[in-house]
Amino acid sequence: MNIGRYFNPAHISSGFIAPLVGYTSSAAIIFQAVNSTGASDAVVTSWFWALGLGMGLSTIGLSLFYKQPILTAWSTPGAAILVTSLAGVPLAEAIGAFVLCSLLITLVGLSGWFDRIMDYLPQSIAAAMLAGVLVPFAMHMIMSLESQLALVLAMMIAFFISRVIWPKLAVMITLIVGIFIAAWQNLIVWQDVSLQVSSPIWTTPEWSLSAAIGITIPLFIVTMASQNVPGIVVLRSHGYDAPAAPLITWTGITGVLMAPFGGFAFNLAAIMAAICMGKEVDADPKQRYRSAVWAGLFIIAAGVFAGSLTGLFNSMPQALVVTIAGLALLGTISSSLSTALAGEAERIPAVITLVTTASGVAMWGIGSAFWGLILGALALLIQRSCSPKPASTKI
């Protein structure tokens, strides 16, 4: 057995970058959500422990079982909702609402209806939605040139050169160049980091009707519409066929187990998963699942050393993080755009989906990815309904 294939540098680097992007982009929202309950620092650490262990173990288990790069994540829009909805809610009732939400997600997975809905989603609309989710990352990279020209430009040049000469190492080389330049410019502010193992804190759930209405239902809706739908689209867009039903079921079960420790909701990842699925990760799509396994290991480490690694991730300059994310996602963005705009008949609905998703519009707490799908599908339905029927020929 070739042990070296499990230590492919491209797999390791993409596996590290995925949680790096995930944590630095939304960890602050988790802090806000927990603090809105008035919880102690120990409880905050417990939440990150639960989220890290839940995400990491489910990512490794699903990726190894299906031999596909399947990543799970916390619900970022769900966390944003919790920032306001948890205010004044006793912690035990909040935990009870999390358990109910994960039970609903589990029931959705067991029912199988999510699979049936996704089967009807046109490929062009799905690809346009994926491109719309990812394009802002590339735009933020370009916008970072205004504030950190030398750092961002050097990383872009390193990426363009290395992807031609060493395509499998392009992302890792770019990350190393970025860290070196950021350190040279004193942009990395090393926080007080010490390796301390996190301790989980159990909170016995309590249930109330107000928490179920105010927390469970909104959290469930945004997790399914804004997170799981894009997560499945990412898989399908890269040619992976793992059935949605068991994936959704396992994210729900993970949530039920981790909710008493602070794991408020788990779902299929889109952004992090896309980083582990590009051609730069591995020319053979069947080998890319190893990058997800590495991501799972790094995520578990982030959970076990929650306080330490969260501070470490936050020490990275924002320009470095958005640039490495934007460069790592360029391949997926280009292939998604190619698929979305390939057929002239579906091009306009696809563009509507793309711009709606990329706009970031959110209504009733539901993110732009869902509304992009709705408007794109509606445009396509109207277009097909109003198109003249071909005249029948009588013999």
Side-chain angles (χ1 to χ4, degrees):
M1 183 174 63
N2 184 9
I3 300 297
R5 64 183 179 178
Y6 293 97
F7 294 89
N8 185 314
H11 296 166
I12 298 173
S13 61
S14 59
F16 174 75
I17 291 169
L20 172 66
V21 171
Y23 271 73
T24 54
S25 63
S26 58
I29 301 175
I30 310 294
F31 277 112
Q32 288 181 273
V34 190
N35 288 333
S36 65
T37 67
S40 64
D41 290 341
V43 172
V44 174
T45 301
S46 177
W47 279 43
F48 278 101
W49 176 91
L51 292 167
L53 266 289
M55 290 159 51
L57 291 174
S58 56
T59 290
I60 293 172
L62 292 172
S63 297
L64 288 176
F65 183 81
Y66 289 102
K67 294 295 187 292
Q68 298 178 22
I70 301 169
L71 280 84
T72 61
W74 60 52
S75 176
T76 300
I81 286 178
L82 295 180
V83 172
T84 56
S85 62
L86 287 182
V89 178
L91 183 59
E93 291 187 12
I95 296 297
F98 300 162
V99 174
L100 286 177
C101 176
S102 294
L103 285 173
L104 288 176
I105 294 173
T106 304
L107 292 174
V108 167
L110 292 174
S111 69
W113 68 261
F114 194 79
D115 262 322
R116 292 192 289 272
I117 291 177
M118 295 305 297
D119 287 341
Y120 287 102
L121 185 64
Q123 188 177 16
S124 60
I125 300 299
M129 188 218 69
L130 176 58
V133 170
L134 302 182
V135 159
F137 284 84
M139 295 176 63
H140 292 155
M141 172 184 67
I142 301 301
M143 292 166 62
S144 295
L145 287 167
E146 292 183 347
S147 58
Q148 297 294 341
L149 177 62
L151 172 64
V152 177
L153 188 59
M155 291 178 68
M156 293 174 69
I157 292 173
F159 178 77
F160 296 147
I161 293 175
S162 58
R163 72 183 296 269
V164 175
I165 303 176
W166 306 287
K168 292 183 178 181
L169 301 176
V171 175
M172 175 175 279
I173 291 173
T174 305
L175 178 61
I176 293 173
V177 169
I179 292 175
F180 176 79
I181 294 177
W184 178 59
Q185 294 181 324
N186 294 321
L187 296 176
I188 300 180
V189 182
W190 300 110
Q191 299 184 2
D192 206 8
V193 177
S194 59
L195 286 179
Q196 297 179 353
V197 177
S198 305
S199 300
I201 296 178
W202 170 277
T203 300
T204 302
E206 295 180 7
W207 287 273
S208 69
L209 181 60
S210 60
I213 295 174
I215 299 174
T216 298
I217 294 176
L219 182 59
F220 169 73
I221 292 174
V222 299
T223 299
M224 293 302 301
S226 300
Q227 298 288 95
N228 280 326
V229 171
I232 289 294
V233 168
V234 168
L235 275 172
R236 300 292 182 262
S237 298
H238 288 83
Y240 297 109
D241 58 357
L247 302 184
I248 300 297
T249 301
W250 277 109
T251 60
I253 293 173
T254 302
V256 172
L257 295 175
M258 291 297 181
F261 303 101
F264 58 91
F266 296 87
N267 50 253
L268 297 175
I271 306 302
M272 291 198 303
I275 292 174
C276 294
M277 292 182 184
K279 294 180 180 178
E280 295 82 4
V281 176
D282 201 301
D284 184 0
K286 295 181 179 179
Q287 304 302 321
R288 296 173 192 166
Y289 75 93
R290 293 193 176 95
S291 65
V293 173
W294 276 106
L297 292 173
F298 285 120
I299 293 170
I300 290 174
V304 173
F305 303 103
S308 304
L309 287 194
T310 301
L312 178 62
F313 285 154
N314 289 335
S315 298
M316 300 283 185
Q318 190 66 18
L320 186 153
V321 175
V322 298
T323 300
I324 198 66
L327 293 172
L329 293 169
L330 283 180
T332 300
I333 293 172
S334 62
S335 61
S336 298
L337 289 174
S338 177
T339 301
L341 305 177
E344 185 175 354
E346 299 180 356
R347 196 166 291 166
I348 295 300
V351 171
I352 290 294
T353 301
L354 170 65
V355 296
T356 302
T357 304
S359 71
V361 63
M363 294 182 287
W364 301 293
I366 300 177
S368 60
F370 176 78
W371 299 116
L373 288 179
I374 294 297
L375 288 181
L378 179 62
L380 184 58
L381 179 63
I382 294 174
Q383 179 175 293
R384 289 177 176 176
S385 300
C386 297
S387 297
K389 303 295 188 293
S392 59
T393 58
K394 295 183 179 180
I395 299 178

